[in-house]
Amino acid sequence: TYEECLFFEIKEAGLFVEKQKPLPLIYKDVKLDIGYRVDIIVENKFIIEVKSVEALNEVHLAQLLTYLKLSDCKLGYLINFNVKLIKDGIKRVINGYL
Protein backbone atom coordinates (compact mmCIF):
# COMPACT_ATOMS: atom_id res chain seq x y z
CA THR A 1 0.00 0.00 0.00
CA TYR A 2 2.73 2.47 0.97
CA GLU A 3 4.72 1.67 -2.15
CA GLU A 4 1.72 2.17 -4.43
CA CYS A 5 0.80 5.48 -2.82
CA LEU A 6 4.38 6.74 -2.93
CA PHE A 7 4.67 5.68 -6.58
CA PHE A 8 1.43 7.53 -7.37
CA GLU A 9 2.56 10.73 -5.63
CA ILE A 10 5.95 10.75 -7.37
CA LYS A 11 4.30 10.17 -10.74
CA GLU A 12 1.74 12.92 -10.06
CA ALA A 13 4.64 15.28 -9.35
CA GLY A 14 5.69 14.79 -12.97
CA LEU A 15 8.79 12.70 -12.37
CA PHE A 16 9.75 9.57 -14.31
CA VAL A 17 9.30 6.70 -11.88
CA GLU A 18 9.40 2.92 -12.14
CA LYS A 19 8.30 0.36 -9.56
CA GLN A 20 9.28 -3.25 -9.00
CA LYS A 21 11.94 -2.93 -11.67
CA PRO A 22 13.97 -6.11 -12.21
CA LEU A 23 17.67 -5.66 -11.53
CA PRO A 24 19.84 -8.34 -13.14
CA LEU A 25 23.30 -9.35 -12.07
CA ILE A 26 26.01 -9.39 -14.75
CA TYR A 27 28.53 -12.14 -14.04
CA LYS A 28 31.33 -12.97 -16.50
CA ASP A 29 29.48 -11.08 -19.24
CA VAL A 30 26.32 -13.13 -18.61
CA LYS A 31 23.10 -11.47 -17.49
CA LEU A 32 21.64 -13.47 -14.59
CA ASP A 33 18.09 -12.85 -13.42
CA ILE A 34 18.33 -13.77 -9.77
CA GLY A 35 15.13 -12.13 -8.64
CA TYR A 36 16.28 -8.70 -7.52
CA ARG A 37 13.47 -6.16 -7.79
CA VAL A 38 13.89 -2.53 -6.83
CA ASP A 39 10.79 -1.07 -5.14
CA ILE A 40 10.99 2.38 -6.76
CA ILE A 41 13.51 4.12 -9.04
CA VAL A 42 13.05 7.85 -9.61
CA GLU A 43 14.39 9.58 -12.73
CA ASN A 44 16.93 6.72 -13.08
CA LYS A 45 18.89 8.59 -10.41
CA PHE A 46 17.90 7.19 -7.02
CA ILE A 47 16.31 4.15 -5.42
CA ILE A 48 13.63 4.08 -2.76
CA GLU A 49 13.22 0.88 -0.76
CA VAL A 50 9.93 0.81 1.13
CA LYS A 51 9.49 -1.05 4.42
CA SER A 52 6.87 -1.29 7.12
CA VAL A 53 8.73 -2.98 9.95
CA GLU A 54 9.18 -2.49 13.67
CA ALA A 55 12.76 -1.34 13.10
CA LEU A 56 15.15 -1.05 10.17
CA ASN A 57 18.14 -3.36 10.49
CA GLU A 58 21.37 -4.27 8.74
CA VAL A 59 19.63 -6.67 6.32
CA HIS A 60 17.50 -3.81 4.96
CA LEU A 61 20.58 -1.63 4.54
CA ALA A 62 22.49 -4.47 2.84
CA GLN A 63 19.61 -4.93 0.39
CA LEU A 64 19.69 -1.26 -0.61
CA LEU A 65 23.49 -1.25 -0.87
CA THR A 66 23.32 -4.25 -3.20
CA TYR A 67 20.82 -2.46 -5.43
CA LEU A 68 23.00 0.65 -5.51
CA LYS A 69 26.06 -1.39 -6.48
CA LEU A 70 24.20 -3.22 -9.28
CA SER A 71 22.55 -0.11 -10.72
CA ASP A 72 23.87 3.20 -11.98
CA CYS A 73 22.27 4.92 -9.01
CA LYS A 74 24.47 6.56 -6.38
CA LEU A 75 21.73 7.58 -3.95
CA GLY A 76 19.17 5.51 -2.09
CA TYR A 77 16.50 6.03 0.52
CA LEU A 78 15.35 3.34 2.92
CA ILE A 79 11.91 4.36 4.17
CA ASN A 80 10.13 2.63 7.05
CA PHE A 81 6.48 3.64 7.23
CA ASN A 82 5.91 1.90 10.57
CA VAL A 83 6.90 4.96 12.65
CA LYS A 84 4.99 7.79 14.32
CA LEU A 85 6.88 10.48 12.42
CA ILE A 86 7.98 9.62 8.88
CA LYS A 87 11.19 11.64 9.34
CA ASP A 88 12.24 9.04 11.92
CA GLY A 89 11.86 6.25 9.37
CA ILE A 90 14.03 7.63 6.55
CA LYS A 91 17.65 6.62 6.03
CA ARG A 92 19.67 8.18 3.20
CA VAL A 93 22.47 6.12 1.68
CA ILE A 94 25.12 7.54 -0.64
CA ASN A 95 27.76 5.22 -2.11
CA GLY A 96 27.49 2.98 0.93
CA TYR A 97 27.52 5.69 3.59
CA LEU A 98 24.58 6.64 5.81
Side-chain angles (χ1 to χ4, degrees):
T1 303
Y2 297 113
E3 181 181 324
E4 284 296 322
C5 292
L6 185 56
F7 174 79
F8 175 82
E9 291 295 332
I10 294 169
K11 192 173 182 177
E12 283 289 302
L15 298 172
F16 176 72
V17 61
E18 297 173 278
K19 65 179 175 174
Q20 291 300 314
K21 183 176 181 177
L23 187 61
L25 172 66
I26 307 298
Y27 179 73
K28 293 188 177 183
D29 296 325
V30 176
K31 184 178 175 180
L32 304 173
D33 184 7
I34 58 174
Y36 289 139
R37 291 199 176 278
V38 177
D39 285 347
I40 296 174
I41 298 181
V42 181
E43 296 281 325
N44 289 315
K45 295 197 184 281
F46 67 93
I47 294 173
I48 300 174
E49 271 302 301
V50 177
K51 304 294 180 199
S52 183
V53 293
E54 191 168 320
L56 294 174
N57 62 45
E58 294 301 314
V59 172
H60 301 127
L61 178 59
Q63 178 186 19
L64 179 55
L65 288 172
T66 298
Y67 294 165
L68 289 173
K69 289 175 186 174
L70 293 175
S71 70
D72 289 331
C73 299
K74 304 293 182 231
L75 174 64
Y77 290 95
L78 187 55
I79 302 177
N80 182 15
F81 282 92
N82 191 23
V83 291
K84 278 187 176 185
L85 298 173
I86 193 64
K87 70 177 186 159
D88 296 333
I90 299 173
K91 299 289 181 204
R92 181 176 159 202
V93 179
I94 302 173
N95 294 330
Y97 298 100
L98 291 177

